[in-house]
PDB file of all heavy atoms in Angstrom:
ATOM      1  N   ARG A 227     -43.751 -29.120   3.149  1.00  0.00           N
ATOM      2  CA  ARG A 227     -44.607 -29.101   4.390  1.00  0.00           C
ATOM      3  C   ARG A 227     -44.519 -30.450   5.030  1.00  0.00           C
ATOM      4  O   ARG A 227     -44.263 -31.461   4.378  1.00  0.00           O
ATOM      5  CB  ARG A 227     -46.043 -28.872   4.019  1.00  0.00           C
ATOM      6  CG  ARG A 227     -46.776 -29.948   3.137  1.00  0.00           C
ATOM      7  CD  ARG A 227     -48.352 -29.515   2.898  1.00  0.00           C
ATOM      8  NE  ARG A 227     -49.037 -29.779   4.191  1.00  0.00           N
ATOM      9  CZ  ARG A 227     -50.363 -29.469   4.166  1.00  0.00           C
ATOM     10  NH1 ARG A 227     -50.984 -28.992   3.154  1.00  0.00           N
ATOM     11  NH2 ARG A 227     -51.058 -29.779   5.258  1.00  0.00           N
ATOM     12  N   LEU A 228     -44.397 -30.371   6.328  1.00  0.00           N
ATOM     13  CA  LEU A 228     -44.315 -31.596   7.250  1.00  0.00           C
ATOM     14  C   LEU A 228     -45.429 -31.590   8.155  1.00  0.00           C
ATOM     15  O   LEU A 228     -45.480 -30.731   9.075  1.00  0.00           O
ATOM     16  CB  LEU A 228     -42.859 -31.571   7.846  1.00  0.00           C
ATOM     17  CG  LEU A 228     -42.625 -32.684   8.887  1.00  0.00           C
ATOM     18  CD1 LEU A 228     -42.907 -34.027   8.267  1.00  0.00           C
ATOM     19  CD2 LEU A 228     -41.215 -32.597   9.392  1.00  0.00           C
ATOM     20  N   ASP A 229     -46.361 -32.612   7.985  1.00  0.00           N
ATOM     21  CA  ASP A 229     -47.492 -32.740   8.902  1.00  0.00           C
ATOM     22  C   ASP A 229     -47.195 -33.753   9.902  1.00  0.00           C
ATOM     23  O   ASP A 229     -46.864 -34.912   9.508  1.00  0.00           O
ATOM     24  CB  ASP A 229     -48.781 -32.976   8.128  1.00  0.00           C
ATOM     25  CG  ASP A 229     -49.109 -32.091   7.041  1.00  0.00           C
ATOM     26  OD1 ASP A 229     -49.777 -31.035   7.376  1.00  0.00           O
ATOM     27  OD2 ASP A 229     -48.680 -32.128   5.859  1.00  0.00           O
ATOM     28  N   GLY A 230     -47.358 -33.485  11.178  1.00  0.00           N
ATOM     29  CA  GLY A 230     -47.032 -34.497  12.143  1.00  0.00           C
ATOM     30  C   GLY A 230     -47.061 -34.068  13.609  1.00  0.00           C
ATOM     31  O   GLY A 230     -47.744 -33.003  13.992  1.00  0.00           O
ATOM     32  N   GLN A 231     -46.373 -34.829  14.410  1.00  0.00           N
ATOM     33  CA  GLN A 231     -46.289 -34.704  15.934  1.00  0.00           C
ATOM     34  C   GLN A 231     -44.864 -34.117  16.165  1.00  0.00           C
ATOM     35  O   GLN A 231     -43.887 -34.746  15.717  1.00  0.00           O
ATOM     36  CB  GLN A 231     -46.535 -35.902  16.590  1.00  0.00           C
ATOM     37  CG  GLN A 231     -46.397 -35.917  18.162  1.00  0.00           C
ATOM     38  CD  GLN A 231     -47.571 -35.497  18.784  1.00  0.00           C
ATOM     39  OE1 GLN A 231     -48.801 -35.741  18.345  1.00  0.00           O
ATOM     40  NE2 GLN A 231     -47.538 -34.663  19.852  1.00  0.00           N
ATOM     41  N   PHE A 232     -44.831 -32.941  16.873  1.00  0.00           N
ATOM     42  CA  PHE A 232     -43.618 -32.319  17.143  1.00  0.00           C
ATOM     43  C   PHE A 232     -43.298 -32.197  18.651  1.00  0.00           C
ATOM     44  O   PHE A 232     -44.335 -32.215  19.466  1.00  0.00           O
ATOM     45  CB  PHE A 232     -43.506 -30.959  16.422  1.00  0.00           C
ATOM     46  CG  PHE A 232     -43.762 -31.066  14.931  1.00  0.00           C
ATOM     47  CD1 PHE A 232     -45.084 -30.768  14.468  1.00  0.00           C
ATOM     48  CD2 PHE A 232     -42.813 -31.302  13.996  1.00  0.00           C
ATOM     49  CE1 PHE A 232     -45.292 -30.873  13.064  1.00  0.00           C
ATOM     50  CE2 PHE A 232     -43.023 -31.338  12.665  1.00  0.00           C
ATOM     51  CZ  PHE A 232     -44.334 -31.235  12.220  1.00  0.00           C
ATOM     52  N   HIS A 233     -42.017 -31.993  19.046  1.00  0.00           N
ATOM     53  CA  HIS A 233     -41.710 -31.673  20.424  1.00  0.00           C
ATOM     54  C   HIS A 233     -40.536 -30.680  20.403  1.00  0.00           C
ATOM     55  O   HIS A 233     -39.835 -30.583  19.413  1.00  0.00           O
ATOM     56  CB  HIS A 233     -41.503 -32.879  21.272  1.00  0.00           C
ATOM     57  CG  HIS A 233     -40.314 -33.716  20.821  1.00  0.00           C
ATOM     58  ND1 HIS A 233     -40.440 -34.615  19.818  1.00  0.00           N
ATOM     59  CD2 HIS A 233     -39.075 -33.816  21.219  1.00  0.00           C
ATOM     60  CE1 HIS A 233     -39.299 -35.325  19.614  1.00  0.00           C
ATOM     61  NE2 HIS A 233     -38.437 -34.766  20.460  1.00  0.00           N
ATOM     62  N   GLY A 234     -40.383 -30.047  21.461  1.00  0.00           N
ATOM     63  CA  GLY A 234     -39.224 -28.978  21.649  1.00  0.00           C
ATOM     64  C   GLY A 234     -39.279 -28.023  20.689  1.00  0.00           C
ATOM     65  O   GLY A 234     -38.308 -27.482  20.210  1.00  0.00           O
ATOM     66  N   LEU A 235     -40.538 -27.579  20.353  1.00  0.00           N
ATOM     67  CA  LEU A 235     -40.676 -26.381  19.383  1.00  0.00           C
ATOM     68  C   LEU A 235     -40.330 -25.084  20.124  1.00  0.00           C
ATOM     69  O   LEU A 235     -40.914 -24.751  21.104  1.00  0.00           O
ATOM     70  CB  LEU A 235     -42.192 -26.346  18.870  1.00  0.00           C
ATOM     71  CG  LEU A 235     -42.497 -27.133  17.657  1.00  0.00           C
ATOM     72  CD1 LEU A 235     -44.033 -27.190  17.610  1.00  0.00           C
ATOM     73  CD2 LEU A 235     -42.018 -26.292  16.405  1.00  0.00           C
ATOM     74  N   GLN A 236     -39.467 -24.328  19.454  1.00  0.00           N
ATOM     75  CA  GLN A 236     -39.042 -22.993  19.909  1.00  0.00           C
ATOM     76  C   GLN A 236     -39.552 -22.069  18.844  1.00  0.00           C
ATOM     77  O   GLN A 236     -38.994 -22.129  17.627  1.00  0.00           O
ATOM     78  CB  GLN A 236     -37.648 -22.928  20.212  1.00  0.00           C
ATOM     79  CG  GLN A 236     -37.191 -21.586  20.793  1.00  0.00           C
ATOM     80  CD  GLN A 236     -35.643 -21.350  21.089  1.00  0.00           C
ATOM     81  OE1 GLN A 236     -34.934 -22.322  20.890  1.00  0.00           O
ATOM     82  NE2 GLN A 236     -35.270 -20.232  21.506  1.00  0.00           N
ATOM     83  N   LEU A 237     -40.416 -21.112  19.086  1.00  0.00           N
ATOM     84  CA  LEU A 237     -41.009 -20.269  18.192  1.00  0.00           C
ATOM     85  C   LEU A 237     -40.920 -18.807  18.487  1.00  0.00           C
ATOM     86  O   LEU A 237     -40.591 -18.517  19.609  1.00  0.00           O
ATOM     87  CB  LEU A 237     -42.570 -20.621  18.102  1.00  0.00           C
ATOM     88  CG  LEU A 237     -42.859 -22.031  17.742  1.00  0.00           C
ATOM     89  CD1 LEU A 237     -44.420 -22.220  17.929  1.00  0.00           C
ATOM     90  CD2 LEU A 237     -42.453 -22.444  16.421  1.00  0.00           C
ATOM     91  N   ARG A 238     -40.973 -17.972  17.460  1.00  0.00           N
ATOM     92  CA  ARG A 238     -40.935 -16.557  17.784  1.00  0.00           C
ATOM     93  C   ARG A 238     -41.887 -15.783  16.810  1.00  0.00           C
ATOM     94  O   ARG A 238     -42.318 -16.262  15.786  1.00  0.00           O
ATOM     95  CB  ARG A 238     -39.508 -16.044  17.508  1.00  0.00           C
ATOM     96  CG  ARG A 238     -39.089 -15.807  16.029  1.00  0.00           C
ATOM     97  CD  ARG A 238     -39.003 -14.415  15.627  1.00  0.00           C
ATOM     98  NE  ARG A 238     -38.891 -14.229  14.225  1.00  0.00           N
ATOM     99  CZ  ARG A 238     -37.657 -14.131  13.614  1.00  0.00           C
ATOM    100  NH1 ARG A 238     -36.555 -14.110  14.373  1.00  0.00           N
ATOM    101  NH2 ARG A 238     -37.573 -13.930  12.330  1.00  0.00           N
ATOM    102  N   SER A 239     -42.256 -14.542  17.258  1.00  0.00           N
ATOM    103  CA  SER A 239     -42.930 -13.598  16.328  1.00  0.00           C
ATOM    104  C   SER A 239     -42.386 -12.206  16.788  1.00  0.00           C
ATOM    105  O   SER A 239     -41.652 -12.060  17.748  1.00  0.00           O
ATOM    106  CB  SER A 239     -44.416 -13.813  16.498  1.00  0.00           C
ATOM    107  OG  SER A 239     -45.001 -12.914  15.374  1.00  0.00           O
ATOM    108  N   VAL A 240     -42.847 -11.234  16.104  1.00  0.00           N
ATOM    109  CA  VAL A 240     -42.392  -9.836  16.383  1.00  0.00           C
ATOM    110  C   VAL A 240     -43.588  -8.986  16.477  1.00  0.00           C
ATOM    111  O   VAL A 240     -44.732  -9.255  15.963  1.00  0.00           O
ATOM    112  CB  VAL A 240     -41.418  -9.365  15.335  1.00  0.00           C
ATOM    113  CG1 VAL A 240     -40.081 -10.143  15.299  1.00  0.00           C
ATOM    114  CG2 VAL A 240     -42.077  -9.450  13.848  1.00  0.00           C
ATOM    115  N   ARG A 241     -43.369  -7.830  17.125  1.00  0.00           N
ATOM    116  CA  ARG A 241     -44.449  -6.807  17.293  1.00  0.00           C
ATOM    117  C   ARG A 241     -44.555  -5.925  16.106  1.00  0.00           C
ATOM    118  O   ARG A 241     -43.574  -5.553  15.468  1.00  0.00           O
ATOM    119  CB  ARG A 241     -44.090  -5.903  18.572  1.00  0.00           C
ATOM    120  CG  ARG A 241     -45.238  -5.048  18.939  1.00  0.00           C
ATOM    121  CD  ARG A 241     -44.764  -4.169  20.153  1.00  0.00           C
ATOM    122  NE  ARG A 241     -44.359  -4.834  21.327  1.00  0.00           N
ATOM    123  CZ  ARG A 241     -45.189  -5.392  22.192  1.00  0.00           C
ATOM    124  NH1 ARG A 241     -46.533  -5.202  22.045  1.00  0.00           N
ATOM    125  NH2 ARG A 241     -44.752  -6.012  23.205  1.00  0.00           N
ATOM    126  N   ALA A 242     -45.760  -5.643  15.699  1.00  0.00           N
ATOM    127  CA  ALA A 242     -46.041  -4.689  14.609  1.00  0.00           C
ATOM    128  C   ALA A 242     -45.385  -3.355  14.827  1.00  0.00           C
ATOM    129  O   ALA A 242     -45.374  -2.845  16.005  1.00  0.00           O
ATOM    130  CB  ALA A 242     -47.553  -4.497  14.367  1.00  0.00           C
ATOM    131  N   GLN A 243     -44.867  -2.768  13.856  1.00  0.00           N
ATOM    132  CA  GLN A 243     -44.013  -1.543  14.033  1.00  0.00           C
ATOM    133  C   GLN A 243     -44.777  -0.324  13.438  1.00  0.00           C
ATOM    134  O   GLN A 243     -45.686  -0.508  12.676  1.00  0.00           O
ATOM    135  CB  GLN A 243     -42.659  -1.711  13.109  1.00  0.00           C
ATOM    136  CG  GLN A 243     -41.872  -2.874  13.564  1.00  0.00           C
ATOM    137  CD  GLN A 243     -41.292  -2.702  14.977  1.00  0.00           C
ATOM    138  OE1 GLN A 243     -40.556  -1.836  15.250  1.00  0.00           O
ATOM    139  NE2 GLN A 243     -41.726  -3.687  15.881  1.00  0.00           N
ATOM    140  N   THR A 244     -44.282   0.791  13.866  1.00  0.00           N
ATOM    141  CA  THR A 244     -44.940   2.071  13.393  1.00  0.00           C
ATOM    142  C   THR A 244     -43.754   2.936  12.888  1.00  0.00           C
ATOM    143  O   THR A 244     -42.548   2.850  13.390  1.00  0.00           O
ATOM    144  CB  THR A 244     -45.633   2.824  14.480  1.00  0.00           C
ATOM    145  OG1 THR A 244     -44.738   3.056  15.592  1.00  0.00           O
ATOM    146  CG2 THR A 244     -46.831   2.021  14.948  1.00  0.00           C
ATOM    147  N   PRO A 245     -44.006   3.761  11.865  1.00  0.00           N
ATOM    148  CA  PRO A 245     -42.849   4.721  11.365  1.00  0.00           C
ATOM    149  C   PRO A 245     -42.442   5.620  12.381  1.00  0.00           C
ATOM    150  O   PRO A 245     -43.264   6.103  13.261  1.00  0.00           O
ATOM    151  CB  PRO A 245     -43.567   5.437  10.161  1.00  0.00           C
ATOM    152  CG  PRO A 245     -44.747   4.501   9.844  1.00  0.00           C
ATOM    153  CD  PRO A 245     -45.194   3.925  11.095  1.00  0.00           C
ATOM    154  N   PRO A 246     -41.255   6.092  12.369  1.00  0.00           N
ATOM    155  CA  PRO A 246     -40.155   5.745  11.493  1.00  0.00           C
ATOM    156  C   PRO A 246     -39.663   4.378  11.787  1.00  0.00           C
ATOM    157  O   PRO A 246     -39.410   4.081  13.047  1.00  0.00           O
ATOM    158  CB  PRO A 246     -39.117   6.826  11.746  1.00  0.00           C
ATOM    159  CG  PRO A 246     -39.303   7.272  13.131  1.00  0.00           C
ATOM    160  CD  PRO A 246     -40.786   7.239  13.345  1.00  0.00           C
ATOM    161  N   TYR A 247     -39.440   3.510  10.869  1.00  0.00           N
ATOM    162  CA  TYR A 247     -39.232   2.086  11.209  1.00  0.00           C
ATOM    163  C   TYR A 247     -37.618   1.967  11.498  1.00  0.00           C
ATOM    164  O   TYR A 247     -36.790   2.731  10.859  1.00  0.00           O
ATOM    165  CB  TYR A 247     -39.404   1.318   9.873  1.00  0.00           C
ATOM    166  CG  TYR A 247     -40.903   1.242   9.500  1.00  0.00           C
ATOM    167  CD1 TYR A 247     -41.275   1.450   8.240  1.00  0.00           C
ATOM    168  CD2 TYR A 247     -41.736   0.790  10.464  1.00  0.00           C
ATOM    169  CE1 TYR A 247     -42.673   1.433   7.900  1.00  0.00           C
ATOM    170  CE2 TYR A 247     -43.109   0.722  10.197  1.00  0.00           C
ATOM    171  CZ  TYR A 247     -43.627   1.019   8.800  1.00  0.00           C
ATOM    172  OH  TYR A 247     -44.946   0.947   8.475  1.00  0.00           O
ATOM    173  N   VAL A 248     -37.377   1.021  12.331  1.00  0.00           N
ATOM    174  CA  VAL A 248     -35.951   0.708  12.585  1.00  0.00           C
ATOM    175  C   VAL A 248     -35.615  -0.490  11.735  1.00  0.00           C
ATOM    176  O   VAL A 248     -36.376  -1.030  11.060  1.00  0.00           O
ATOM    177  CB  VAL A 248     -35.740   0.277  14.116  1.00  0.00           C
ATOM    178  CG1 VAL A 248     -36.036   1.572  14.968  1.00  0.00           C
ATOM    179  CG2 VAL A 248     -36.651  -0.833  14.561  1.00  0.00           C
ATOM    180  N   SER A 249     -34.398  -1.076  11.887  1.00  0.00           N
ATOM    181  CA  SER A 249     -33.905  -2.113  11.055  1.00  0.00           C
ATOM    182  C   SER A 249     -34.531  -3.444  11.607  1.00  0.00           C
ATOM    183  O   SER A 249     -35.077  -3.527  12.773  1.00  0.00           O
ATOM    184  CB  SER A 249     -32.441  -2.248  11.102  1.00  0.00           C
ATOM    185  OG  SER A 249     -32.038  -2.609  12.402  1.00  0.00           O
ATOM    186  N   LEU A 250     -34.576  -4.451  10.738  1.00  0.00           N
ATOM    187  CA  LEU A 250     -35.079  -5.753  11.202  1.00  0.00           C
ATOM    188  C   LEU A 250     -34.312  -6.305  12.340  1.00  0.00           C
ATOM    189  O   LEU A 250     -34.925  -6.911  13.231  1.00  0.00           O
ATOM    190  CB  LEU A 250     -35.167  -6.677  10.088  1.00  0.00           C
ATOM    191  CG  LEU A 250     -35.726  -8.118  10.229  1.00  0.00           C
ATOM    192  CD1 LEU A 250     -37.203  -8.150  10.858  1.00  0.00           C
ATOM    193  CD2 LEU A 250     -35.644  -9.026   8.987  1.00  0.00           C
ATOM    194  N   SER A 251     -33.097  -6.102  12.256  1.00  0.00           N
ATOM    195  CA  SER A 251     -32.204  -6.649  13.388  1.00  0.00           C
ATOM    196  C   SER A 251     -32.541  -6.098  14.708  1.00  0.00           C
ATOM    197  O   SER A 251     -32.557  -6.668  15.777  1.00  0.00           O
ATOM    198  CB  SER A 251     -30.689  -6.417  13.065  1.00  0.00           C
ATOM    199  OG  SER A 251     -30.399  -5.081  13.009  1.00  0.00           O
ATOM    200  N   GLU A 252     -32.886  -4.729  14.703  1.00  0.00           N
ATOM    201  CA  GLU A 252     -33.390  -4.101  16.003  1.00  0.00           C
ATOM    202  C   GLU A 252     -34.746  -4.640  16.472  1.00  0.00           C
ATOM    203  O   GLU A 252     -34.899  -4.847  17.629  1.00  0.00           O
ATOM    204  CB  GLU A 252     -33.345  -2.524  15.762  1.00  0.00           C
ATOM    205  CG  GLU A 252     -33.848  -1.751  16.921  1.00  0.00           C
ATOM    206  CD  GLU A 252     -32.923  -1.896  18.124  1.00  0.00           C
ATOM    207  OE1 GLU A 252     -31.674  -2.148  17.907  1.00  0.00           O
ATOM    208  OE2 GLU A 252     -33.364  -1.754  19.326  1.00  0.00           O
TER     209      GLU A 252
END
Side-chain angles (χ1 to χ4, degrees):
R227 63 178 288 177
L228 174 53
D229 301 273
Q231 178 86 35
F232 305 94
H233 61 276
L235 267 162
Q236 185 177 359
L237 304 172
R238 77 107 188 266
S239 189
V240 292
R241 190 183 300 277
Q243 303 295 297
T244 57
Y247 297 127
V248 297
S249 68
L250 181 58
S251 61
E252 180 62 27

